[in-house]
Structure formats: C-alpha cells, structure tokens
Amino acid sequence: MPIIRVEMFEGRNEEQKAKLVHELTESFVHSCGGTKESVQVVINNYSPENWGSAGQLVSRKTKAAKDS
C-alpha cells in the first residue's frame, strides 16, 4: 500500500485538497502501476509559526519581508 505524504502550509480549501488527492493518486497509478484503491494520501497542514526555514520561523520571515 503506497502512502503519499504532503506537508504544506494551511490555507487550502477542501476542494483544492480533493483535487490534489485525486491528481496525486492518478499520477502514482499511471507512473508506478497498482490500483487507485491501494493509494493512500495523508495531508498535514502547518501554520507558518510551526515551520522553520534557514534558521528562522517562516512567520517571522514573511512578516519581515512585508515590513521592508
């Protein structure tokens, strides 16, 4: 059973997530074979204050970019 994990910032609506799940599933089956029923997709949403990049919280990097 293949599992596709997606980690991204929060903010997408249910329709966008449904489209993502559908397209990832279709692409996996097309590329690797198997059945749609065997593919699992897990989406984890994070807020920018819970994600770090280049030694900083993304929320602070975004705020600094807006302030300059």
Side-chain angles (χ1 to χ4, degrees), residues 14-42:
E14 186 175 348
E15 188 60 36
Q16 290 170 311
K17 292 177 192 177
K19 184 176 179 181
L20 176 63
V21 168
H22 173 76
E23 291 184 10
L24 287 172
T25 300
E26 292 292 325
S27 181
F28 185 92
V29 171
H30 177 75
S31 300
C32 301
T35 65
K36 291 189 293 186
E37 292 75 24
S38 69
V39 178
Q40 307 292 308
V41 179
V42 178

Side-chain angles (χ1 to χ4, degrees), residues 38-59:
S38 69
V39 178
Q40 307 292 308
V41 179
V42 178
I43 299 172
N44 290 310
N45 288 294
Y46 298 96
S47 61
E49 63 266 10
N50 291 322
W51 193 293
S53 176
Q56 298 181 62
L57 290 175
V58 172
S59 58

